[in-house]
Amino acid sequence: MESPSAVATDPEAAPTPPSFKERLQRRLLNLHPAVWPVGLGVVGLAGATLLHFVDPNEPGNYPTCPWLLLTGTFCPGCGTMRAVALTTHGDFLGAISMNPLLLFLVPYVLWTYGSWLVRSIRPPKRHPKLTPGWFLWLMGITITAFWILRNLPWFSFLAPGTPLLPTW
């Protein structure tokens, strides 16, 4: 009978198959870089399609916002789900009244997504420029100010669902 150390060093012994983690890592590394932005786009379109057909204004269709449930105040994202649903129906003014901050954030999000998709399909010859720090600070300050202002009584027109333009 052979000792366990003799079996382990036997050159004719069958190699151990790679573990699940190693196989998964190998597959992820072999994917085309465009898989990630295209996959995110497909998930986003699926979410927008769901919001188009299942109304977020009806209670019970979606969970309540945890921030609104715990604090009773609006977060910067409150109204975004209803805004996307209204956008899929073509009501752009209604979408802006749900979350006016989206009017400013959507172009930036579309630009960054589009540049990510293009860079994954046609990799640049040199490293892309990073977003300037002053811009990130400006976005953070703007989002925080919007968060605070929309919960003050003087700026109630920033609350979700409040019409931006008065109706006569």
Side-chain angles (χ1 to χ4, degrees):
M1 183 177 224
E2 296 179 15
S3 68
S5 62
V7 173
T9 59
D10 183 15
E12 294 181 17
T16 59
S19 68
F20 174 75
K21 182 179 175 183
E22 291 169 345
R23 290 191 320 249
L24 182 63
Q25 285 176 342
R26 191 177 315 133
R27 284 201 181 206
L28 289 176
L29 289 174
N30 289 333
L31 287 176
H32 190 278
V35 167
W36 302 112
V38 169
L40 181 66
V42 167
V43 168
L45 287 175
T49 303
L50 178 68
L51 287 172
H52 180 79
F53 291 111
V54 182
D55 189 11
N57 291 312
E58 293 179 17
N61 285 342
Y62 299 98
T64 305
C65 170
W67 180 265
L68 183 62
L69 184 66
L70 291 173
T71 66
T73 61
F74 301 118
C75 72
C78 275
T80 302
M81 188 182 296
R82 289 174 283 168
V84 171
L86 288 170
T87 302
T88 63
H89 290 284
D91 186 5
F92 298 107
L93 286 177
I96 291 171
S97 73
M98 287 295 167
N99 193 332
L101 185 63
L102 286 180
L103 179 65
F104 299 105
L105 289 181
V106 165
Y108 176 71
V109 169
L110 290 177
W111 172 260
T112 54
Y113 175 77
S115 61
W116 179 33
L117 180 62
V118 168
R119 278 195 319 267
S120 66
I121 294 171
R122 294 181 52 195
K125 294 183 181 7
R126 55 191 165 125
H127 291 291
K129 290 184 191 178
L130 295 176
T131 304
W134 64 267
F135 183 75
L136 297 176
W137 275 102
L138 181 66
M139 278 185 62
I141 291 169
T142 302
I143 292 170
T144 304
F146 177 74
W147 189 352
I148 293 169
L149 291 176
R150 78 184 318 195
N151 288 297
L152 295 175
W154 309 285
F155 295 96
S156 62
F157 62 92
L158 295 175
T162 306
L164 293 176
L165 301 173
T167 55
W168 286 285

